[in-house]
Amino acid sequence: MKRLIPLTLLAAALLAGCATGKLSTAERLALYRAHAGEPVKDFRYLGHLNGWTPVGDSALAVWTKPNEAYLLEFAGRCQDLEYAAAISITQFANRVNARFDDVLPVGPGTSSIKIPCRIDTIRPLDVKALRASEKELREASAVERQAKP
């Protein structure tokens, strides 16, 4: 029950953000954090991702399997993350470790000087709940657009 109250407040704030049709970076980060579990020290990484999405310039969601994802938060700002065409993640023995491994944004939208982004925390995402919340927000946004004259 205690967890339900913050989620309800978050949903109200996010629905207010939907009035513009797009969530702000802070709202998107709040949505992902609301669906993230407790921090873990590492996750298994076999050299390829099912997907990834920047969540502002200080966090990144990565999908290792269709129904397995992690929220990676950085120690500071990650330069060029939002403009990267791809990312590279360091690892050792097929494990990505918080406070030891980095994310490198790559591609034509990034600067020539590659600055690694140190992973500060790793939190598993509840993918089903995240998708359900995103769907609700899209539907609420569509209803609101239809209601406007």
Side-chain angles (χ1 to χ4, degrees):
M1 184 67 173
K2 287 182 183 180
R3 183 176 164 99
L4 192 57
I5 293 170
L7 287 177
T8 304
L9 294 174
L10 173 67
L14 292 174
L15 287 173
C18 281
T20 63
K22 187 174 183 181
L23 295 178
S24 71
T25 300
E27 290 166 335
R28 281 186 34 228
L29 183 56
L31 177 66
Y32 277 77
R33 283 180 174 161
H35 295 293
E38 292 300 313
V40 295
K41 69 176 192 154
D42 62 13
F43 68 91
R44 188 172 180 199
Y45 176 62
L46 299 175
H48 67 279
L49 296 173
N50 256 26
W52 61 278
T53 186
V55 188
D57 61 4
S58 64
L60 172 73
V62 295
W63 278 259
T64 54
K65 297 177 185 174
N67 292 314
E68 182 179 273
Y70 297 90
L71 178 63
L72 311 180
E73 294 200 52
F74 305 113
R77 184 178 173 276
C78 186
Q79 179 181 332
D80 296 330
L81 182 61
E82 295 189 75
Y83 308 107
I87 58 170
S88 175
I89 302 177
T90 62
Q91 53 86 24
F92 179 74
N94 296 328
R95 306 296 294 180
V96 174
N97 289 278
R99 296 182 302 280
F100 293 104
D101 284 306
D102 302 310
V103 171
L104 275 165
V106 295
T110 61
S111 62
S112 58
I113 300 172
K114 304 296 182 208
I115 300 172
C117 308
R118 179 60 41 105
I119 299 169
D120 188 47
T121 60
I122 299 170
R123 297 171 61 195
L125 287 169
D126 182 344
V127 175
K128 277 186 175 182
L130 178 63
R131 286 182 182 152
S133 291
E134 288 174 331
K135 181 180 178 187
E136 287 175 22
L137 291 171
R138 280 191 305 274
E139 289 170 355
S141 180
V143 167
E144 188 167 320
R145 280 194 307 269
Q146 290 174 351
K148 288 185 179 179

Coordinates of all heavy atoms in Angstrom, one line a residue, residues 61-108:
A61 N 18.3 3.2 -20.0 CA 17.7 2.0 -19.8 C 18.2 1.0 -20.9 O 18.2 1.4 -22.1 CB 16.1 2.1 -20.0
V62 N 18.6 -0.2 -20.5 CA 19.1 -1.2 -21.5 C 18.3 -2.5 -21.3 O 18.0 -2.9 -20.2 CB 20.6 -1.5 -21.3 CG1 21.4 -0.3 -21.6 CG2 20.9 -2.0 -19.9
W63 N 17.9 -3.1 -22.5 CA 17.2 -4.3 -22.5 C 18.2 -5.4 -22.9 O 18.7 -5.4 -24.0 CB 16.0 -4.3 -23.5 CG 14.8 -3.6 -22.9 CD1 13.7 -4.2 -22.4 CD2 14.6 -2.2 -22.8 NE1 12.8 -3.3 -22.0 CE2 13.3 -2.0 -22.2 CE3 15.4 -1.1 -23.1 CZ2 12.8 -0.8 -21.9 CZ3 14.8 0.2 -22.8 CH2 13.6 0.3 -22.2
T64 N 18.4 -6.4 -22.0 CA 19.3 -7.5 -22.3 C 18.5 -8.7 -22.9 O 19.1 -9.5 -23.6 CB 20.0 -8.0 -21.0 OG1 19.0 -8.3 -20.0 CG2 20.9 -6.9 -20.5
K65 N 17.2 -8.7 -22.7 CA 16.3 -9.6 -23.3 C 15.0 -8.9 -23.4 O 14.8 -7.8 -22.8 CB 16.0 -10.8 -22.3 CG 17.2 -11.7 -22.0 CD 16.9 -12.8 -21.0 CE 18.1 -13.6 -20.6 NZ 17.8 -14.5 -19.5
P66 N 14.0 -9.4 -24.2 CA 12.8 -8.7 -24.4 C 12.0 -8.3 -23.1 O 11.4 -7.2 -23.0 CB 11.9 -9.6 -25.3 CG 12.9 -10.4 -26.0 CD 14.0 -10.6 -25.1
N67 N 12.1 -9.1 -22.1 CA 11.4 -8.9 -20.8 C 12.4 -8.7 -19.7 O 12.0 -8.9 -18.5 CB 10.4 -10.0 -20.5 CG 9.3 -10.0 -21.5 OD1 8.7 -8.9 -21.8 ND2 9.0 -11.1 -22.0
E68 N 13.6 -8.3 -20.0 CA 14.6 -8.0 -18.9 C 15.4 -6.7 -19.2 O 16.0 -6.6 -20.3 CB 15.6 -9.2 -18.8 CG 16.7 -9.0 -17.7 CD 17.6 -10.2 -17.7 OE1 17.2 -11.2 -17.0 OE2 18.7 -10.2 -18.4
A69 N 15.3 -5.8 -18.3 CA 15.9 -4.5 -18.6 C 16.4 -3.9 -17.3 O 16.0 -4.3 -16.2 CB 14.9 -3.5 -19.1
Y70 N 17.4 -3.0 -17.4 CA 18.0 -2.3 -16.3 C 18.1 -0.8 -16.5 O 18.3 -0.4 -17.6 CB 19.4 -2.9 -16.1 CG 19.5 -4.4 -15.8 CD1 19.5 -5.3 -16.8 CD2 19.4 -4.8 -14.5 CE1 19.5 -6.6 -16.6 CE2 19.3 -6.2 -14.2 CZ 19.4 -7.1 -15.3 OH 19.4 -8.4 -15.0
L71 N 17.9 -0.1 -15.4 CA 18.1 1.3 -15.4 C 19.6 1.6 -14.9 O 19.9 1.2 -13.8 CB 17.1 2.0 -14.5 CG 17.3 3.5 -14.4 CD1 17.0 4.2 -15.7 CD2 16.3 4.1 -13.3
L72 N 20.4 2.2 -15.8 CA 21.8 2.5 -15.4 C 21.8 4.0 -15.2 O 21.4 4.8 -16.0 CB 22.7 2.1 -16.6 CG 22.6 0.7 -17.2 CD1 23.6 0.6 -18.3 CD2 22.8 -0.3 -16.1
E73 N 22.3 4.4 -14.0 CA 22.4 5.8 -13.7 C 23.9 6.1 -13.6 O 24.6 5.3 -13.0 CB 21.6 6.1 -12.4 CG 20.1 6.0 -12.6 CD 19.3 6.8 -11.7 OE1 19.5 8.0 -11.5 OE2 18.4 6.1 -11.1
F74 N 24.3 7.2 -14.1 CA 25.7 7.6 -14.1 C 26.1 8.4 -13.0 O 25.3 9.1 -12.4 CB 26.0 8.2 -15.5 CG 25.6 7.4 -16.7 CD1 24.6 7.9 -17.5 CD2 26.2 6.2 -16.9 CE1 24.2 7.1 -18.6 CE2 25.8 5.4 -18.0 CZ 24.8 5.9 -18.8
A75 N 27.4 8.5 -12.7 CA 28.0 9.3 -11.6 C 27.8 10.8 -11.9 O 27.7 11.6 -11.0 CB 29.4 9.0 -11.4
G76 N 27.7 11.1 -13.2 CA 27.5 12.5 -13.6 C 26.8 12.5 -15.0 O 26.2 11.6 -15.4
R77 N 27.0 13.6 -15.7 CA 26.3 13.8 -17.0 C 27.1 12.9 -18.0 O 28.3 12.8 -18.0 CB 26.4 15.3 -17.4 CG 25.8 15.6 -18.7 CD 25.9 17.1 -18.9 NE 25.3 17.4 -20.3 CZ 26.0 17.2 -21.4 NH1 27.3 16.9 -21.4 NH2 25.4 17.5 -22.5
C78 N 26.3 12.3 -18.9 CA 26.9 11.5 -20.0 C 26.8 12.2 -21.3 O 25.8 12.3 -21.9 CB 26.2 10.1 -20.1 SG 27.0 9.0 -21.2
Q79 N 27.9 12.8 -21.7 CA 28.0 13.6 -22.9 C 27.6 12.8 -24.1 O 28.0 11.7 -24.3 CB 29.4 14.1 -23.1 CG 29.6 15.0 -24.3 CD 31.1 15.4 -24.4 OE1 31.8 15.6 -23.4 NE2 31.5 15.6 -25.6
D80 N 26.8 13.4 -25.0 CA 26.3 12.9 -26.3 C 25.4 11.7 -26.2 O 25.0 11.1 -27.2 CB 27.5 12.5 -27.1 CG 28.4 13.6 -27.5 OD1 27.9 14.8 -27.6 OD2 29.6 13.4 -27.7
L81 N 24.9 11.3 -25.0 CA 24.1 10.1 -24.9 C 22.8 10.2 -25.7 O 22.4 9.3 -26.4 CB 23.8 9.8 -23.4 CG 23.0 8.5 -23.2 CD1 23.7 7.3 -23.7 CD2 22.7 8.4 -21.7
E82 N 22.2 11.4 -25.6 CA 20.9 11.5 -26.3 C 21.0 11.6 -27.8 O 20.1 11.5 -28.5 CB 20.2 12.8 -25.8 CG 19.8 12.6 -24.3 CD 18.9 13.7 -23.8 OE1 17.7 13.7 -24.1 OE2 19.4 14.5 -23.0
Y83 N 22.3 11.8 -28.3 CA 22.5 12.0 -29.8 C 23.2 10.8 -30.4 O 23.4 10.7 -31.6 CB 23.3 13.2 -30.0 CG 22.7 14.4 -29.4 CD1 23.3 15.0 -28.2 CD2 21.5 15.0 -29.8 CE1 22.8 16.1 -27.6 CE2 21.0 16.1 -29.2 CZ 21.6 16.7 -28.1 OH 21.0 17.7 -27.5
A84 N 23.5 9.8 -29.6 CA 24.3 8.6 -30.0 C 23.4 7.7 -30.9 O 22.2 7.5 -30.6 CB 24.8 7.8 -28.8
A85 N 24.0 7.2 -31.9 CA 23.3 6.2 -32.8 C 23.5 4.8 -32.2 O 22.6 3.9 -32.5 CB 23.9 6.2 -34.2
A86 N 24.5 4.6 -31.4 CA 24.7 3.3 -30.7 C 25.5 3.6 -29.4 O 25.9 4.7 -29.2 CB 25.6 2.4 -31.7
I87 N 25.6 2.5 -28.6 CA 26.4 2.6 -27.4 C 27.3 1.4 -27.3 O 27.0 0.3 -27.9 CB 25.5 2.7 -26.1 CG1 24.6 1.5 -26.0 CG2 24.8 4.0 -26.1 CD1 23.9 1.4 -24.7
S88 N 28.3 1.5 -26.6 CA 29.2 0.4 -26.2 C 29.3 0.3 -24.7 O 29.4 1.4 -24.1 CB 30.6 0.7 -26.8 OG 31.5 -0.3 -26.5
I89 N 29.2 -0.9 -24.2 CA 29.3 -1.1 -22.7 C 30.5 -1.9 -22.4 O 30.7 -3.0 -23.0 CB 28.0 -1.7 -22.2 CG1 26.8 -0.9 -22.5 CG2 28.1 -1.9 -20.7 CD1 25.5 -1.5 -22.1
T90 N 31.3 -1.5 -21.5 CA 32.4 -2.3 -21.0 C 31.9 -3.4 -20.1 O 30.8 -3.3 -19.5 CB 33.5 -1.5 -20.3 OG1 32.9 -0.9 -19.1 CG2 34.1 -0.4 -21.2
Q91 N 32.6 -4.5 -20.0 CA 32.2 -5.6 -19.2 C 33.4 -6.5 -18.9 O 34.5 -6.4 -19.6 CB 31.1 -6.4 -19.8 CG 31.4 -6.9 -21.2 CD 32.1 -8.2 -21.3 OE1 32.1 -9.0 -20.4 NE2 32.8 -8.4 -22.4
F92 N 33.3 -7.3 -17.9 CA 34.4 -8.3 -17.6 C 33.7 -9.6 -17.3 O 32.8 -9.6 -16.4 CB 35.2 -7.8 -16.4 CG 36.3 -8.8 -16.0 CD1 37.4 -8.9 -16.8 CD2 36.2 -9.6 -14.9 CE1 38.4 -9.9 -16.5 CE2 37.2 -10.5 -14.6 CZ 38.3 -10.7 -15.4
A93 N 34.1 -10.7 -17.9 CA 33.6 -12.0 -17.7 C 32.0 -12.0 -17.9 O 31.3 -12.6 -17.1 CB 34.0 -12.5 -16.3
N94 N 31.5 -11.3 -18.9 CA 30.1 -11.3 -19.2 C 29.3 -10.6 -18.1 O 28.1 -10.9 -18.0 CB 29.6 -12.6 -19.6 CG 30.2 -13.2 -20.8 OD1 30.6 -12.5 -21.7 ND2 30.3 -14.5 -20.9
R95 N 29.9 -9.8 -17.3 CA 29.1 -9.1 -16.3 C 29.4 -7.6 -16.4 O 30.6 -7.2 -16.5 CB 29.6 -9.5 -14.9 CG 29.5 -11.0 -14.6 CD 28.1 -11.6 -14.6 NE 27.2 -11.2 -13.6 CZ 26.0 -11.6 -13.5 NH1 25.5 -12.5 -14.4 NH2 25.2 -11.1 -12.6
V96 N 28.4 -6.7 -16.3 CA 28.6 -5.3 -16.2 C 28.4 -4.9 -14.7 O 27.4 -5.3 -14.1 CB 27.5 -4.6 -17.1 CG1 27.6 -3.1 -16.9 CG2 27.7 -4.9 -18.5
N97 N 29.4 -4.2 -14.2 CA 29.4 -3.9 -12.8 C 29.2 -2.4 -12.5 O 29.9 -1.6 -13.2 CB 30.8 -4.3 -12.2 CG 30.9 -5.8 -12.1 OD1 30.4 -6.4 -11.1 ND2 31.5 -6.4 -13.0
A98 N 28.4 -2.1 -11.5 CA 28.2 -0.7 -11.1 C 29.6 -0.2 -10.5 O 30.3 -1.0 -9.9 CB 27.1 -0.6 -10.1
R99 N 29.9 1.0 -10.8 CA 31.1 1.7 -10.3 C 32.4 1.2 -10.9 O 33.4 1.7 -10.6 CB 31.2 1.7 -8.8 CG 30.0 2.4 -8.1 CD 30.1 2.5 -6.6 NE 30.1 1.2 -6.0 CZ 29.0 0.4 -5.8 NH1 27.8 0.8 -6.2 NH2 29.1 -0.8 -5.2
F100 N 32.3 0.2 -11.8 CA 33.5 -0.2 -12.5 C 33.4 -0.1 -14.0 O 34.4 0.1 -14.7 CB 33.9 -1.7 -12.1 CG 34.3 -1.8 -10.7 CD1 33.4 -2.4 -9.8 CD2 35.5 -1.4 -10.3 CE1 33.7 -2.5 -8.4 CE2 35.9 -1.6 -8.9 CZ 35.0 -2.1 -8.0
D101 N 32.2 -0.3 -14.6 CA 32.1 -0.3 -16.0 C 31.5 1.0 -16.5 O 31.0 1.8 -15.8 CB 31.2 -1.5 -16.5 CG 32.0 -2.8 -16.4 OD1 33.1 -2.9 -17.0 OD2 31.6 -3.8 -15.7
D102 N 31.7 1.2 -17.9 CA 31.3 2.4 -18.5 C 30.4 2.2 -19.7 O 30.4 1.1 -20.3 CB 32.6 3.1 -19.1 CG 33.6 3.4 -18.0 OD1 33.2 4.0 -16.9 OD2 34.8 3.1 -18.2
V103 N 29.7 3.2 -20.1 CA 28.9 3.3 -21.3 C 29.6 4.3 -22.2 O 30.0 5.4 -21.7 CB 27.5 3.7 -21.1 CG1 26.7 3.9 -22.4 CG2 26.8 2.6 -20.3
L104 N 29.8 4.0 -23.5 CA 30.4 4.9 -24.5 C 29.4 5.2 -25.6 O 29.0 4.3 -26.3 CB 31.7 4.3 -25.1 CG 32.9 4.5 -24.3 CD1 34.0 3.6 -24.8 CD2 33.4 6.0 -24.4
P105 N 28.9 6.4 -25.7 CA 28.0 6.8 -26.8 C 28.9 6.8 -28.1 O 30.0 7.4 -28.1 CB 27.5 8.2 -26.5 CG 27.8 8.3 -25.0 CD 29.0 7.5 -24.7
V106 N 28.4 6.2 -29.2 CA 29.1 6.2 -30.4 C 28.2 6.6 -31.6 O 26.9 6.5 -31.5 CB 29.8 4.8 -30.7 CG1 30.8 4.5 -29.7 CG2 28.8 3.7 -30.7
G107 N 28.7 7.0 -32.7 CA 27.9 7.3 -33.9 C 28.2 8.7 -34.4 O 28.9 9.5 -33.8
P108 N 27.5 9.0 -35.5 CA 27.8 10.3 -36.1 C 27.3 11.5 -35.3 O 27.8 12.6 -35.5 CB 27.0 10.2 -37.4 CG 26.1 9.1 -37.3 CD 26.6 8.2 -36.3

